Every structure is written in C-alpha cells, then in structure tokens.
Amino acid sequence: MASRGSTHRRVWTLVVAFCVLLLLTGVCAGFLLHGQGPTLTETSSGAAAVVVVLTVSALLGTLYLARYAIRSLLAPIQRLRVAVTRFQDGEPVVADGQDGAREVRELAGVVNELMRHTTQLAGDQEDTLRLHRLALEVVQGIRDSTSVRQAADVVCTVLGPVTGGDQLAICLTAGSGEPGYLARWHAPGLVAPPAELPPYVCGAAEELWRRSTHLALADTRVQSAEHEQWFTPVQDEAAARALLVVPIGFNERALGTISLSGSSPRRWGHSEIAVFHHVAAFLAQKIVEVEHREQQARYVMGLERLKRQRDDFLATVSHELRTPLTSISGYLEVLMDDEDDQVSDAHLRTLVIIERNTDRLRGLIEDLLAVSAIQNGRLLLQSQTVAVADLLGYAVEELGSMAQEKQVRLRAEAGPGDAELILGDRVHLQRAVVNIVGNALKFSRPGDVVNVSHAVDRQTGEIVISCADNGMGIPEGDLNHVTTHFFRASNATNHAVPGTGLGLPMVEAIVQAHRGALTIESTEGRGTTVTLRFPHTRAAVLASAGSSMDGRGRVP
C-alpha cells in the first residue's frame, strides 16, 4: 500500500508542478506586460524571455510525465497483452511482471495464476477425455468377451499400462463363487505379485460395496485408517504407497475388487476413479450374465435329462402294458365267443365291462405312445388321400356304444361336398376325430346332443370338421390351457370326469402336422365347439409336392 501511495503521490506531484509552471508563466507574462518598465520595448523583451523559459520548463515536465507513464504503465501493459495473446494461441508463456508500477506487477501475477489454472484445467480435461475413450474401449471389450476371465484380461491389458500405477489386479471374493485372482498386470521390470489373494480384498470388497464408496490413498504411510479392521493389512504392505480399491458388486452381493497400487505416492483424480467405478459396474454385469448363462445351461441339461428319462419311462411302460393287455384281450375274446353257451348273462355283462375298459386302456396306451412320438419328433405320417366322410363315419361307429351308454344323441352331418378329401395319415386323422368326439360325449349329460359335421370354407377353401355339444363347457380361465399336456379343466376335476389331459394336445399336434389348425370355443354350462381346419386336397398336394414329412410329421 505504501508503494501504491508513493506512486500516486509522484504522479500527482508532477501534475501539480506542471500546473504551477503554467500558472507562473501566465502571471509573469501579465505582470511584465502591464508593468512600469522604462520603455515598452524593454518590457516586452523581458517578458518574452520569461515566458519562453517557463514554457520550455513546462514542456520538459510534460515530456517527463509522458516518459514515466510509458515506462511504468503502457509498456508493461503492452507486454502483458502480448503474453495473453500468445497464450490464447496455445503457446505456454509467463507474463513479465518484474518492472513497472506495482499495480501492473500485481495484474501480471493474477494473469499468470489464471493462465496456470487454465493450463491445468486443459490438462485435466484432456486426461478426462483420454480416460473416457479408454473406458469406452474397455466396456466394448467386456461386452464382446465370452467369459469373465476374458473380460478381466481386457481391463488389465488396456488400463494397466496407462494408469501410471505399478500393479493392477482384479480379484473375486467368495460372493462370486470363485474366490481368487481373476486377472493381473504389473509394470515391466517389477517382480510378479504373489499368487495368494491379498488378505484385505474380501473385507474391503464387502465394506466398500456396503458403503457404496471406494478407497483412494495417496500415501498409505501418511494416511491411516486404524479404526477399520479390514484396512490394517494394507498398511503392512511396504510396497504399496499409493492405493486405489474400487468394489465390484451387484445388488446386495460384493463380488470382488479392482485394485491399482503404486510404489510412490500419487494423487488419484476424480476422472480416474470414475472410470474404475464404470468398469467395475460392467464387470459385475458380465459376472452375473455368465452366472445366469451357466445356470440356464445347467437347467436345460437337467430338463433334457428329465425328458430322456420321461421318454424312456413312457416307452417302457407302454411296452410292458401292451404285452399283458394283448393276453387279456385274447382270453377275453375266447370267453365271449364261447359257442357252448357256458357263460351266463351276468358273466357276459361282466366280460363286456372288461372289454370296454380294456379298449379304454389300449386307447390310453396308444395316446401315450403318440404323445411320446410327437414330443420326440418321431411322429411319422403316411401321406394318402382320406375321405372326410369316412373319418366321421369311423368316429360314429367307434363311439356309438359310448353314446348309447351315456344316453347322448350322436349325429353326423355331411356338408355339401361329401366327396371332399384330405391329404394325410388316415390312422392319425381318425385318432384326432375320435378324440374330439369322445371328449364331447364324455362331458355331455343324458339327453344332450353331439353334432359332428364337415364343410368347406368358401373364403379360404379349407376343409372344416366341427364337433359341437351342449355339455358342461370349459371355464374361461382354463380355455387357454386345455392344449397343455396333462392339464384338465377345473370343472372336469370337480365332477370327477375321467381323463388324462393328453387328448387335445395330441389332437393339436396331429392337426398341425397336417398343416391345419385347431380352435376351441366354449362357454361354461352351455357347451363346447371344437373345429379342425385342413387344407383342401389340391392345396395340400401342391404344398407337399417334391417334399416329404419331416421328423415331426410336418411338411417342410
């Protein structure tokens, strides 16, 4: 402040002196011009001389003031302007603030400090952009990796050489299922780190993940965390002066850590820490993704094993049931064909019941075999033309006795095209039609009517086989599940209606194998209508020309 005051006083003193000179010049000139000299000539000459002297003195003072202002103010400010301009052009310079007025020197110091901060900010921004590019490269590498270890190797390979540390390690804790080192990197010339997992890793991972934070120590010998039990082993490692530990976790699970250490103290930047957090998040995602994929693979293997066991069971049971059933049917036929009338009427009625249940058991076995073949893709279809009227007639003949027993009227109604044909396997088509008609009879009450009919859809040209009843119907909530294996409607279970839940799934598979479609419309308490749609014979022939049925019974 004293120097600033002296500068101000000096300037003001010079200004005042200049003004006094000008005033004296004017006073002297007036005095001499109006004085009482001997003659006017002598007086004028003297006055002129005084005026000249004073004027010259004022001019010299003015020149001194101008020189002082240029040297103390204008020149330093010009140099300061040149330095700022060169800095704007990207040239690293320092403003000259050694001479000039105190105010100018202070301004130069402020400008130098501002340029230093600007340079530091530019450097930090460049480092941030560089780390951001590296993070994008690492994230892409993690995404492209097929395993967690490969992803960790990408992180160490890309980030290790550019972080300025001596060692970079990715460790997994017990929460990940595979505790230990996942990947490591160390600077050239350093001794490889030990194979054992650092003792602080597990505790640090759990503690840091629980707190949603990280550990960043510029110097482990200066910074201490004695109140943290998990941190104590870190201080015991003499080689680790600087340490950065970022946790890897997912939801409530602490999976591991990414740790970067150095043998000399260093400052950890916010951008650098943010990059490691970002990478840790994608590593955790990859770990969980691989775990889910492995669990899914194990689940699929288990399902395939169960499927093979189920198929083997069905094949074995069907074979073992067929053999005694064939013997029962044979002896039953012998008893019922007794020409000596040794079988009483009561026994004959018993034999009829046995025969009916034998046929039912045989049908169940055939359904099991058909379902097994469909699920295993071994449903073989014999391609031939089948008359639709014959399919309906076969169903009515097969189920006539059942309709009589249930006291249900079974009617077959032929459409306008009695000679319509379907290209497909006669045996499987008969099984499908018999099944839907049998279901209609099964869920009908005495006095109900079951109508089975066929027609040609004039819009699509498809052959349509319909079976309609006015029985108990299907609940709306069960309608979307009736084609699921072993599923039975709730009202059927409540009324103890016998069944296995295999009929409609088998029918749907057979119809789809013939390039057809199955639709079901039902209202609980009012009845059900099941519709089978098949391509017309000509369309089916064209569709299957030059091809054969595949392993699932479908025409490619």
Side-chain angles (χ1 to χ4, degrees):
M1 294 298 295
S3 176
R4 179 180 301 177
S6 61
T7 301
H8 289 170
R9 285 194 298 272
R10 188 183 309 166
V11 172
W12 282 110
T13 300
L14 291 174
V15 171
V16 170
F18 175 71
C19 293
V20 170
L21 286 174
L22 290 178
L23 181 61
L24 289 175
T25 301
V27 171
C28 292
F31 176 78
L32 293 173
L33 288 174
H34 297 87
Q36 299 178 356
T39 62
L40 181 61
T41 303
E42 294 176 358
T43 303
S44 299
S45 300
V50 172
V51 169
V52 168
V53 172
L54 293 176
T55 302
V56 170
S57 300
L59 290 174
L60 290 176
T62 302
L63 291 176
Y64 176 78
L65 286 175
R67 181 175 177 277
Y68 177 79
I70 292 174
R71 186 181 62 183
S72 301
L73 298 175
L74 296 182
I77 291 177
Q78 178 65 20
R79 290 196 299 271
L80 187 61
R81 186 186 68 82
V82 172
V84 172
T85 302
R86 291 170 60 188
F87 179 77
Q88 289 178 341
D89 294 336
E91 182 179 351
V93 295
V94 177
D96 185 8
Q98 299 298 325
D99 56 358
R102 176 57 182 262
E103 292 81 354
V104 177
R105 293 198 302 271
E106 290 178 352
L107 178 61
V110 172
V111 171
N112 285 330
E113 185 67 17
L114 181 61
M115 289 191 297
R116 186 181 67 81
H117 281 294
T118 303
T119 303
Q120 183 177 354
L121 285 175
D124 292 342
Q125 185 178 12
E126 184 178 354
D127 290 340
T128 301
L129 292 175
R130 178 179 61 85
L131 290 173
H132 181 67
R133 289 192 294 268
L134 287 174
L136 292 178
E137 181 181 352
V138 171
V139 168
Q140 188 61 43
I142 293 175
R143 288 174 173 172
D144 296 338
S145 300
T146 57
S147 65
V148 179
R149 187 171 298 278
Q150 183 180 1
D153 288 337
V154 170
V155 175
C156 290
T157 302
V158 176
L159 292 183
V162 298
T163 53
D166 295 331
Q167 295 182 14
L168 176 63
I170 300 176
C171 308
L172 294 184
T173 63
S176 64
E178 297 181 3
Y181 279 114
L182 191 60
R184 290 188 292 181
W185 171 90
H186 62 88
L190 293 181
V191 179
E196 296 79 12
L197 197 65
Y200 64 86
V201 169
C202 293
E206 295 175 359
E207 191 70 18
L208 293 176
W209 182 251
R210 185 179 64 85
R211 297 184 180 185
S212 299
T213 185
H214 58 271
L215 177 66
L217 301 179
D219 190 348
T220 57
R221 298 182 184 179
V222 176
Q223 295 172 274
S224 63
E226 297 178 355
H227 58 286
E228 303 287 358
Q229 295 181 356
W230 57 268
F231 177 74
T232 303
V234 179
Q235 295 178 295
D236 296 337
E237 292 190 0
R241 291 293 301 273
L243 182 65
L244 173 64
V245 181
V246 175
I248 304 173
F250 185 81
N251 289 340
E252 301 298 327
R253 298 171 56 196
L255 302 175
T257 60
I258 302 178
S259 59
L260 178 63
S261 60
S263 57
S264 58
R266 58 164 295 179
R267 182 181 64 88
W268 303 103
H270 295 291
S271 300
E272 194 171 20
I273 296 174
V275 165
F276 276 91
H277 275 288
H278 191 62
V279 171
F282 277 90
L283 268 179
Q285 182 178 351
K286 176 60 69 172
I287 292 173
V288 174
E289 175 188 335
V290 171
E291 286 181 351
H292 287 175
R293 189 165 60 241
E294 292 175 350
Q295 291 176 358
Q296 185 178 12
R298 289 193 296 268
Y299 179 72
V300 171
M301 290 178 59
L303 289 180
E304 291 178 349
R305 183 171 60 254
L306 290 175
K307 181 176 177 294
R308 288 192 300 269
Q309 294 174 352
R310 181 204 61 196
D311 295 338
D312 294 341
F313 173 77
L314 288 176
T316 302
V317 169
S318 300
H319 175 73
E320 294 299 328
L321 289 177
R322 265 183 166 182
T323 301
L325 190 61
T326 301
S327 299
I328 293 173
S329 299
Y331 285 111
L332 184 61
E333 183 178 356
V334 171
L335 292 175
M336 295 183 67
D337 291 342
D338 186 12
E339 298 178 356
D340 298 333
D341 294 332
Q342 296 181 359
V343 179
S344 63
D345 293 340
H347 289 167
L348 184 60
R349 287 193 297 270
T350 302
L351 293 176
V352 170
I353 296 174
I354 295 175
E355 182 184 26
R356 184 169 63 249
N357 285 278
T358 301
D359 292 339
R360 180 182 171 188
L361 183 58
R362 181 183 293 107
L364 176 59
I365 294 174
E366 294 297 332
D367 288 347
L368 286 173
L369 291 175
V371 169
S372 178
I374 291 169
Q375 292 181 341
N376 294 326
R378 296 196 302 265
L379 180 62
L380 301 178
L381 302 180
Q382 301 296 327
S383 182
Q384 61 186 116
T385 55
V386 181
V388 180
D390 291 346
L391 293 176
L392 271 60
Y394 178 82
V396 171
E397 181 180 355
E398 283 290 316
L399 300 172
S401 59
M402 180 180 178
Q404 292 178 359
E405 183 180 350
K406 293 275 296 184
Q407 299 179 9
V408 176
R409 290 182 59 190
L410 178 58
R411 297 187 305 188
E413 300 177 358
D418 293 343
E420 296 299 338
L421 303 174
I422 297 177
L423 182 64
D425 188 289
R426 178 184 299 274
V427 175
H428 288 297
L429 289 172
Q430 288 175 347
R431 177 176 285 112
V433 176
V434 167
N435 197 288
I436 63 173
V437 177
N439 276 346
L441 293 173
K442 184 189 303 182
F443 295 105
S444 295
R445 296 174 291 262
D448 289 345
V449 178
V450 174
N451 292 316
V452 57
S453 61
H454 73 88
V456 178
D457 191 326
R458 294 183 179 181
Q459 294 182 351
T460 63
E462 295 176 316
I463 297 176
V464 180
I465 299 176
S466 297
C467 180
D469 64 73
N470 53 353
M472 67 172 60
I474 303 172
E476 183 179 358
D478 296 340
L479 196 57
N480 294 330
H481 305 285
V482 292
T483 56
T484 303
H485 290 94
F486 303 106
F487 178 84
R488 304 200 67 220
S490 57
N491 55 351
T493 303
N494 295 335
H495 289 82
V497 179
T500 60
L502 294 174
L504 286 178
M506 180 189 63
V507 172
E508 184 179 46
I510 292 174
V511 173
Q512 290 178 351
H514 288 81
R515 295 183 178 274
L518 166 69
T519 58
I520 303 173
E521 298 176 359
S522 182
T523 302
E524 187 175 8
R526 295 186 179 182
T528 303
T529 299
V530 180
T531 303
L532 310 182
R533 290 180 171 270
F534 298 95
H536 196 275
T537 307
R538 295 178 182 177
V541 170
L542 292 176
S544 61
S547 64
S548 59
M549 298 291 183
D550 66 2
R552 296 187 179 272
R554 295 174 175 82
V555 180

